[in-house]
Amino acid sequence: MLAVLDLGDSLRSKGINFSEQCQVFEVCNPQQAAYVLSKDMKLTMALPCRISVFTEAGQTRIGMIRPEGMLSNLSTEPGLIELAHDVESATTAIIQAAAI
């Protein structure tokens, strides 16, 4: 984990009336990130992966943007889709373990 952003607190600190909770966890595998960037530096906009934990109408939700779909839309570099699939599987496992 690289960082945790408490988006709800950030909004409230700016004077915005925001009643929901929202934390964004930035996660990254350094070796995989270095590989992605060695193939296409424009993909800095897609890194790191983010997992969001938030409330919505009293229910806690967990979500992410799927790396495989995102990278396939941003790059045609061979090998990145397979890597994105692996990252998505690992990140999904993290989310599933947290949801238990």
Side-chain angles (χ1 to χ4, degrees), residues 76-96:
T76 58
E77 183 64 36
L80 290 184
I81 299 305
E82 183 178 334
L83 176 67
H85 175 78
D86 294 344
V87 168
E88 187 169 315
S89 294
T91 310
T92 299
I94 292 168
I95 290 171
Q96 289 172 342

Side-chain angles (χ1 to χ4, degrees), residues 18 23 32 34 42 45 50 56 60 62 64 79 90 94:
F18 186 77
Q23 291 189 326
Q32 291 173 329
K42 292 186 301 283
M45 67 187 100
R50 303 173 103 204
E56 185 175 46
T60 300
I62 303 174
M64 70 172 177
I94 292 168

Side-chain angles (χ1 to χ4, degrees), residues 40 43 71-81:
D40 189 344
L43 294 176
L71 281 182
S72 68
N73 284 321
L74 297 174
S75 179
T76 58
E77 183 64 36
L80 290 184
I81 299 305

Side-chain angles (χ1 to χ4, degrees), residues 3-4 19 21-22 24 26 29-30 32 34 36-37 44-45 48 58 65 78 84 88 91 97-98:
V4 178
S19 61
Q21 300 299 312
C22 181
V24 180
E26 293 185 338
N29 177 305
Q32 291 173 329
V36 168
L37 297 178
T44 59
M45 67 187 100
I65 295 176
E88 187 169 315
T91 310

